[in-house]
Amino acid sequence: MIAEGAIALIWATAAMSFFPGGITGLSEVTDAGGAALVVKNVLMGLFGSAGVICAAVACGLFAAYLRKRSL
């Protein structure tokens, strides 16, 4: 749980600092496409298409882990 909180804080910091205008820019992107668009834009900006592919794999593995843990 602590690791999940740390990851959330890292994502929040990256999202607020990545978009021009800080929270205002982040709000505009969120309104346009939701959280998925924010994640895609941050990953594409920082790591390129390889980052998006790695994130898709990591999210799938993490979702499977959480499902197993909840049973």
Side-chain angles (χ1 to χ4, degrees):
M1 296 296 279
I2 294 171
E4 293 168 355
I7 291 170
L9 287 173
I10 291 168
W11 270 109
T13 304
M16 286 188 293
S17 64
F18 186 76
F19 296 103
I23 295 174
T24 306
L26 175 61
S27 177
E28 292 172 1
V29 174
T30 304
D31 291 341
L37 184 60
V38 172
V39 171
K40 179 184 173 249
N41 287 346
V42 170
L43 287 175
M44 285 293 288
L46 295 177
F47 303 113
S49 59
V52 176
I53 293 169
C54 290
V57 171
C59 287
L61 292 174
F62 189 65
Y65 165 72
L66 288 178
R67 180 172 180 250
K68 180 180 177 186
R69 192 172 81 172
S70 69
L71 293 176

